[in-house]
Amino acid sequence: MSMPLPTYDDVLAAAARIAPHAHATPVLRSRALDALAGCELHFKAEPLQRTGAFKFRGACNAVWALDEATAARGVVTHSSGNHGAALALAARTRGIPCHVVVPEGANAAKRANIARQGATLHTCAGTIAAREATAARVQADTGARLIHPYTDPHVIAGQGTAALELINAEGPLDVLVAPVGGGGLLSGTALAVAATAPGCRVMGAEPAGAADAAESLAAGELRVDFIPDTLCDGLRGTLGAPNFGLLRAHRVEVVTVPDAETLVAMRLLWECLKLLVEPSSAIALAAILRQRERLAGQRVGVILSGGNVDLDALPWKAAA
């Protein structure tokens, strides 16, 4: 049975529920990036959120929304990294077990982050089908509640709190840009924007090698039969059905971006904001740079979604 779509009231409830646990992250500015983009950029710095990504918002909301009996049996999810770490920490704040199904080949830094937060890890093949099947088996074995990375209504509502904070701090905005993979962040953002800043347009940034959201919105129907080919490991998930419904209802536009442009944007953010961001986060700036003429002179909010980079994969030189 499908769950009801979340509403703006759910976003407000999430904001109150997670307030004792989540950080209200800062908004950063850069004159250099404003000049490069030709608009006024307001960066919501979710790499500074607990576990290093916005995902803690939705996971925390979902965990603390559970009744006592359900919570006692623990939670389970499948994740390439950020949601798994977020759910593990959220479960730890409530003192309940957490199981995370991680696909083979997942980002090493993100996998380590999940383990560091205290979850029990279960490895599976790299396909979405394998992730879901393994999570279902763990759920059956343990009785844990499945907290889906992006289709769970409480997760979507929790993710919307980042946009809510940004608008409250920096509004009015003309445009708000966020990455899109499974669609939890972007659909939650659409809910918050529609209620608090109806004149603000919502734009998603999606890898060209995993453009199911853009294709689905263009076709008017969900299209998820694809094999992702992108460096943005956090955006390889297929767009969820409830997320598609919310994006379509709120007329969200999605811009696709080649990985090469995302890597350029990531380096710019490292150099100008002095903030560690991952490719799945930097894609938001890359999308803005692609739309430079359209966005000229406007006030643009940007949700930088996370900063869990595998630093060991970088070509460090040994100290002399």
Side-chain angles (χ1 to χ4, degrees):
M1 188 172 89
S2 61
M3 293 181 280
L5 293 177
T7 66
Y8 176 61
D9 285 344
D10 295 315
V11 177
L12 290 178
R17 189 177 286 124
I18 71 175
H21 310 286
H23 297 321
T25 53
V27 178
L28 305 181
R29 301 290 316 281
S30 166
R31 289 185 177 90
L33 292 177
D34 284 359
L36 187 63
C39 57
E40 186 179 299
L41 300 170
H42 302 258
F43 295 98
K44 182 66 167 164
E46 287 298 290
L48 301 179
Q49 185 55 261
R50 297 184 72 178
T51 71
F54 76 96
K55 292 280 191 177
F56 182 69
R57 295 173 179 274
C60 184
N61 188 46
V63 163
W64 283 96
L66 296 173
D67 62 70
E68 290 294 337
T70 302
R73 296 193 293 272
V75 290
V76 59
T77 195
H78 57 81
S79 169
S80 62
N82 285 341
H83 174 69
L87 189 66
L89 176 58
R92 189 150 57 88
T93 67
R94 197 164 177 182
I96 62 175
C98 177
H99 301 267
V100 180
V101 174
V102 182
E104 295 171 348
N107 179 300
K110 293 181 179 181
R111 185 183 180 96
N113 198 17
I114 297 171
R116 187 163 54 245
Q117 300 303 335
T120 299
L121 272 65
H122 307 263
T123 304
C124 71
T127 66
I128 293 294
R131 287 164 56 156
E132 292 177 344
T134 306
R137 185 173 68 249
V138 173
Q139 184 181 15
D141 290 344
T142 63
R145 169 63 65 90
L146 177 67
I147 306 295
H148 193 276
Y150 44 84
T151 64
D152 186 291
H154 286 104
V155 169
I156 295 171
Q159 315 307 29
T161 62
L164 184 65
E165 289 178 9
L166 177 56
I167 292 166
N168 286 340
E170 302 294 323
L173 299 169
D174 298 305
V175 183
L176 204 161
V177 184
V180 57
L185 175 61
L186 191 59
S187 55
T189 295
L191 284 174
V193 170
T196 60
C200 177
R201 304 193 314 279
V202 178
M203 180 185 296
E206 184 173 46
D212 56 311
E215 292 179 10
S216 296
L217 291 171
E221 62 181 15
L222 194 58
R223 293 187 174 178
V224 295
D225 186 17
F226 77 106
I227 298 174
D229 180 16
T230 176
L231 293 173
C232 301
D233 60 286
L235 305 181
R236 292 172 183 159
T238 54
L239 184 66
N243 313 93
F244 169 68
L246 288 168
L247 297 185
R248 192 178 183 197
H250 292 287
R251 300 184 178 182
V252 173
E253 175 188 0
V254 174
V255 174
T256 60
V257 183
D259 279 354
E261 294 179 21
T262 294
L263 291 177
V264 170
M266 184 171 76
R267 179 164 184 157
L268 287 169
L269 289 163
W270 286 29
E271 290 178 342
C272 298
L273 282 189
K274 312 304 179 188
L275 182 70
L276 188 67
V277 297
E278 59 191 90
S280 300
S281 176
I283 194 172
L285 175 60
I288 291 166
L289 295 176
R290 283 211 130 207
Q291 304 289 309
R292 195 178 190 281
E293 292 185 4
R294 285 182 61 200
L295 301 178
Q298 298 187 42
R299 288 171 53 84
V300 181
V302 191
I303 299 181
L304 295 177
S305 54
N308 291 315
V309 179
D310 187 359
L311 296 176
D312 288 336
L314 297 176
W316 300 113
K317 293 182 178 179

